[in-house]
Amino acid sequence: MPDVKDTQAGAPTRAGIPEHGRLPKYFVVKTCLEELLGDLGEGVPLPTERELAARFGVARETVRQALRDLLIQGRLRRRGRATVVAGPKLEQPLSLASYTEGVRLQGRVPGRNLTALDRIAADEVLAGQLGIATGDTVWHMERVLLADEERVGLESTYVAVERVPRLDAEFDPDSSFYAYLRAFVGVEFGDADERIETVLATPREALLIGTPPALPMLLLHRHSRDTEGAPLERVRSLYRGDRFSFTTHLSRT
């Protein structure tokens, strides 16, 4: 089998080689596969597990483990029964820009499929986040996020009904909620607090997004305020860890 080499720009020093210098076979196979992916190009199917095992002189289970790692990292995708080379991850800016704006900036077509639009009574925590009284009515809007028709995430938005009383009648669920607030309600976003963590999707979430439950997800919690400083919305956004990365600009203030 070929020697392990750094195949990605920005790879860490020693590229995962432990101090004792011994590498697991699956890691060597994974590194060789990364070189192969660069030669094949996006959307091209990989050889079968049997063919790869014969090429690298290892067991099929070793190949399978290497492929699992590359699937989780987003380097590969399943297409029916085939495994194909994945395209680059979507880079979503950590800013007050909407999901729609972030996806369009990368030349992709954003979309959303509405799965729920309900009125619920705010519990104490949600009421505090939205600046309303416990028991007041809140819209809960859940949408599957799309990029070029591919399901890439799941977004739940909570906003007080008194702020957007005609949401169910005026809002197109496939469009940007932020654009709707500006155009129909006259509300502009001022600032927000955002927290990111890694999670596993619930069985229902994995089914809606179309991913295995074991695939790591990036979970964003956002509490937004308008330009007057009044609480506006709470958003819970779940993004596929194999299809998304997040970017921000840092500077001294």
Side-chain angles (χ1 to χ4, degrees):
M1 202 158 17
D3 293 333
V4 171
K5 296 185 290 185
D6 293 352
T7 58
Q8 299 182 56
T13 303
R14 296 179 59 83
I17 301 174
E19 296 306 316
H20 55 58
R22 296 189 298 274
L23 283 171
K25 285 185 178 181
Y26 86 89
F27 188 87
V28 178
V29 171
K30 175 186 167 186
T31 304
C32 296
L33 285 172
E34 287 175 333
E35 293 185 15
L36 178 62
L37 302 188
D39 295 334
L40 292 178
E42 181 179 349
V44 177
L46 261 66
T48 66
E49 288 182 4
R50 184 186 300 276
E51 291 170 332
L52 291 172
R55 175 184 297 195
F56 299 127
V58 297
R60 289 181 64 180
E61 180 55 37
T62 301
V63 171
R64 197 168 295 131
Q65 187 174 357
L67 293 175
R68 279 196 297 264
D69 274 19
L70 292 170
L71 282 164
I72 290 173
Q73 290 177 211
R75 301 296 308 281
L76 299 175
R77 294 175 56 193
R78 297 291 191 193
R79 181 181 293 168
R81 294 188 176 183
T83 301
V84 303
V85 180
K89 289 187 178 185
L90 289 160
E91 293 186 1
Q92 188 74 351
L94 290 173
S95 68
L96 283 177
S98 69
Y99 169 80
T100 299
E101 294 168 301
V103 172
R104 281 179 177 162
L105 282 174
Q106 296 171 78
R108 307 286 292 274
V109 179
R112 293 178 175 89
N113 288 336
L114 182 69
T115 58
L117 180 58
D118 307 310
R119 292 172 182 250
I120 63 173
D123 60 21
E124 185 176 356
V125 174
L126 182 57
Q129 293 168 339
L130 296 180
I132 58 178
T134 300
D136 281 359
T137 309
V138 171
W139 289 113
H140 166 235
M141 178 169 59
E142 182 185 67
R143 297 180 291 174
V144 175
L145 303 176
L146 308 173
D148 290 342
E149 299 298 325
E150 178 189 8
R151 290 177 287 173
V152 293
L154 185 67
E155 179 183 79
S156 288
T157 302
Y158 301 85
V159 60
V161 169
E162 66 180 6
R163 299 214 65 168
V164 285
R166 293 180 51 79
L167 182 69
D168 56 341
E170 296 176 339
F171 179 58
D172 175 6
D174 190 34
S175 65
S176 166
F177 180 58
Y178 292 4
Y180 163 76
L181 288 175
R182 288 192 294 267
F184 286 82
V185 188
V187 172
E188 291 283 350
F189 282 80
D191 67 294
D193 297 314
E194 197 156 62
R195 176 168 58 89
I196 306 174
E197 58 183 308
T198 56
V199 297
L200 295 177
T202 66
R204 177 181 177 274
E205 290 168 340
L207 183 63
L208 287 171
I209 302 172
T211 60
L215 181 71
M217 297 282 179
L218 296 168
L219 175 60
L220 274 70
H221 303 270
R222 174 181 285 191
H223 300 151
S224 304
R225 291 168 288 273
D226 62 21
T227 52
E228 302 299 319
L232 183 54
E233 62 162 0
R234 187 186 85 182
V235 181
R236 180 184 187 275
S237 301
L238 195 64
Y239 295 95
R240 288 176 52 165
D242 64 333
R243 300 302 297 135
F244 268 91
S245 64
F246 290 88
T247 62
T248 189
H249 172 71
L250 302 176
S251 63
R252 290 190 176 185
T253 57

